[in-house]
Structures are given as C-alpha cells and as structure tokens.
C-alpha cells in the first residue's frame, strides 16, 4: 500500500502476517509418499553403508497467518522464497536422485498457491527448497514434505552423522524454537 503524509510525501509499506513455521526431519528406507498428509514408513537408525534411504523433511504452518511470498508475480506463489527450507547434509552422504517437494494446504484467497510440487537445488552439501506460499486457515495447517534420496558409501567418522534443516518465512515468525532441527543418524558397515 502507498500512504501520503500531511506534507505530500509518499511512502511504501509492507504488511506481513504472523506465522509459526516448524520443521522436522526423519530417515526412512521404504519409499515415502510425496503427499505430506500420508503417514510415513517406519523411521530407521542406523542405516547400512550402500543401503538406499531417504531423508524426509517436513514443514508445517501452525498459523495463525499464511506464509506467503512477498513478490506475488510469476511463479513466486508456487515456488518463490516466501517459505524456504535449507538442509545442510552431512559430509560424505551421497544424494542419489532428484530432491522433490510437495505442499498441500487450504486456499485462503488473495491469489495464494497452497498446493503444488517442485524440486530443490543442491549446491555442495546444501539443499535449498523454495516453497512459495504455505497457507493456514481455520485451524487447517499447510504442510510440505521434502524427500532427499541418499546413501552412504563409507562409515562416517565415529559412525554417526548429523543433519540440520531450517525453515524460514518472509512473514513474521516469532516462535523460532521450532524453525531448526538437527538429527543424528548412525551408519554401520
């Protein structure tokens, strides 16, 4: 919106929603369903060297507002930086395929894009997933599931790896204690 002051100057301002984004992460060996509303297969720990497995990162919007991309042009509501998950993979883990995501949520209007699919980028050991809008409405949380297919070719030092994922929003998230998760994973020969 644009506002004029008494002296005729024009100022631009942004109005942001209050949201509570949260992230969790687990490891499974059975292929997980991409839909974040479907239950996951059983969690595993440890995994065996050369055994295919999946890191599964889930983000949820606990409300009370929607996590929307500030830039509403182009594909930003679908896959812009409005909601972003960054996953720092442990050194030595091998990504064995495309890293994908799917989101589902209520449509709350205003041109939001609560449902969709996409892929994440991988640069070195950093996975970045731009998810666009993750909505919330009437107690119905928007959810995202990210699937990272992986394997270990050697046992990491100490036999354990550590993996960290963080969710962020362009809106206002004043409950930060659930924005980052670090998950250990044992690896055996």
């Amino acid at each position: 919106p644009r506002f004029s002051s008494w002296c005729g100057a024009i100022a631009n301002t942004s109005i942001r929603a209050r949201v509570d984004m949260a992230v969790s992460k687990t490891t499974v060996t059975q292929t997980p369903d991409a839909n974040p509303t479907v239950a996951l297969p059983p969690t595993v720990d440890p995994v065996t060297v050369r055994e295919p497995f999946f890191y599964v990162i889930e983000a949820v919007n606990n409300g009370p507002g929607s996590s929307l991309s500030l830039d509403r042009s182009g594909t930003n509501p679908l896959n812009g930086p409005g909601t972003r998950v960054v996953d720092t993979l442990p050194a030595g883990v091998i990504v064995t395929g495309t890293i994908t995501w799917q989101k589902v949520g209520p449509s709350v209007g205003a041109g939001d894009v609560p449902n969709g699919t996409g892929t994440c980028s991988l640069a070195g050991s950093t996975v970045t997933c731009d998810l666009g809008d993750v909505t919330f409405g009437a107690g119905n949380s928007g959810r995202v599931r990210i699937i990272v297919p992986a394997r270990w070719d050697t046992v990491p030092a100490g036999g354990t790896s550590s993996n960290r994922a963080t969710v962020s929003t362009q809106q206002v998230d004043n409950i930060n204690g659930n924005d980052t998760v670090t998950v250990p994973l044992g690896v055996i020969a």
Side-chain angles (χ1 to χ4, degrees), residues 3-165:
F3 297 98
S4 298
S5 70
W6 62 271
C7 65
I10 295 176
N12 290 321
T13 187
S14 295
I15 299 172
R16 298 186 187 201
R18 188 169 56 86
V19 302
D20 174 23
M21 294 301 301
V23 66
S24 62
K25 185 165 192 173
T26 191
T27 307
V28 300
T29 54
Q30 297 174 23
T31 303
D33 194 298
N35 186 330
T37 64
V38 175
L40 286 171
T43 298
V44 296
D45 185 7
V47 295
T48 304
V49 168
R50 293 185 195 82
E51 173 186 26
F53 69 93
F54 302 89
Y55 286 119
V56 180
I57 307 158
E58 295 190 312
V60 61
N61 183 350
N62 294 312
S66 291
S67 177
L68 303 176
S69 288
L70 293 180
D71 182 351
R72 306 304 297 162
S73 65
T75 64
N76 282 315
L78 171 64
N79 59 7
T83 310
R84 175 176 284 166
V85 170
V86 176
D87 181 26
T88 305
L89 296 170
V93 74
I94 308 296
V95 174
T96 61
T98 303
I99 302 167
T100 60
W101 58 262
Q102 182 174 340
K103 65 180 178 177
V104 297
S107 180
V108 293
D112 61 13
V113 181
N115 303 305
T117 60
T119 58
C120 302
S121 65
L122 177 63
S125 62
T126 302
V127 176
T128 303
C129 307
D130 285 333
L131 309 166
D133 299 345
V134 179
T135 57
F136 180 89
N140 188 0
S141 295
R143 299 182 176 279
V144 179
R145 180 172 289 167
I146 300 163
I147 300 173
V148 183
R151 75 167 188 270
W152 286 92
D153 283 345
T154 60
V155 175
T160 301
S161 65
S162 188
N163 189 282
R164 178 183 172 154

